[in-house]
């Protein structure tokens, strides 16, 4: 999760990258999808550390990408 949030910081601060593709945001999205696959083992476990990381990353991705899916995740985790 720390790598996803670090990548989000790089994206939000427009940290230089070697590719024209928004690599930092893509890296953060990859971490999100790898760490929290729907229906995966432990998906329904309530754990403050995991949920806090999920909330922070999904909220930041929602704001950065304007993707409603990330907004839904942030709201779901925040209300849980």
């Amino acid at each position: 999760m720390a790598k996803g949030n670090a990548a989000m910081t790089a994206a939000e601060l427009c940290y230089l990258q070697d590719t024209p593709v928004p690599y930092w945001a893509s890296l953060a999205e990859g971490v999100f999808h790898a760490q929290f696959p729907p229906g995966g083992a432990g998906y329904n476990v309530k754990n403050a550390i995991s949920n806090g990381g999920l909330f922070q990353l999904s909220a930041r991705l929602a704001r950065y990408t304007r993707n409603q899916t990330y907004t839904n995740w942030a709201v779901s985790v925040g209300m849980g």
Side-chain angles (χ1 to χ4, degrees):
M1 194 53 55
K3 290 180 183 181
N5 280 309
M8 278 309 307
T9 298
E12 292 163 344
L13 296 176
C14 300
Y15 191 76
L16 296 177
Q17 52 193 31
D18 294 335
T19 64
V21 177
Y23 173 75
W24 297 119
S26 296
L27 180 60
E29 287 180 303
V31 169
F32 177 89
H33 293 291
Q35 294 295 315
F36 299 100
Y43 179 71
N44 293 320
V45 173
K46 294 193 178 208
N47 177 303
I49 300 299
S50 297
N51 287 346
L54 172 59
F55 174 76
Q56 183 180 31
L57 185 57
S58 60
R60 292 172 79 184
L61 280 167
R63 183 173 180 216
Y64 188 84
T65 65
R66 306 219 188 285
N67 183 325
Q68 186 63 39
T69 300
Y70 297 124
T71 302
N72 295 344
W73 271 98
V75 169
S76 175
V77 172
M79 302 298 260

